[in-house]
Structure formats: structure tokens, C-alpha cells
Amino acid sequence: MIGHLFHCFYCTSHWAVIAGIAIYQPIVISSGYRIADLIVSTFLTITITTYLSGLVFAVFLAAMTKVVKERAVKSILTAD
């Protein structure tokens, strides 16, 4: 079961953010409540990493689609 927690890049980014927040304890806003400040920092950082990992995944999918199309064209041209 524990292996599933680190199986995808999306889930792994959450665990990495939580570990980073626990280690470095950055404060985005200062409300006077340390736990609330860390929770806000965690959610903000997870939101940013989600957008970045989504962008990286979109670029990866575009690159893979291009490679598949190039191979299809190459196989059609060499079949003649």
C-alpha cells in the first residue's frame, strides 16, 4: 500500500512539499498561529507545484505525440 503513495508524480509532489514544509517551515503569511501559517504555506506550495507538474506533463505529452507521429510517417515512407 505504501508504494502507491509514491507511484505518480502528482502524489509525490504533495509528499515532497509536506516534507519540505516540515523541514524548512517557511511562512507565507504571519497570523500569529504557527500551525495555521504552516498549513497556508503547504496549500500555497502544493498549488504552485501542481500547476508546474501539470505544465511539465503537458510538454511531455506533446513531445511524445510528436515522436509517435514522426515514427508513423517514417514507417509509411520506408514501406514504399
Side-chain angles (χ1 to χ4, degrees):
M1 277 300 229
I2 293 179
H4 291 289
L5 296 175
F6 300 99
H7 189 67
C8 70
F9 68 92
Y10 179 75
C11 301
T12 304
S13 69
H14 283 67
W15 294 114
V17 165
I18 291 170
I21 295 292
I23 292 169
Y24 296 109
Q25 299 182 358
I27 301 298
V28 176
I29 61 167
S30 181
S31 67
Y33 297 103
R34 184 84 171 149
I35 298 297
D37 295 343
L38 291 175
I39 290 171
V40 169
S41 296
T42 301
F43 281 119
L44 177 68
T45 309
I46 285 174
T47 302
I48 292 170
T49 58
T50 300
Y51 283 125
L52 289 176
S53 64
L55 177 65
V56 168
F57 190 64
V59 169
F60 172 75
L61 285 179
M64 290 307 296
T65 303
K66 179 183 174 195
V67 168
V68 168
K69 287 180 181 178
E70 285 176 352
R71 286 184 182 173
V73 168
K74 191 179 289 186
S75 69
I76 289 171
L77 292 176
T78 58
D80 290 336

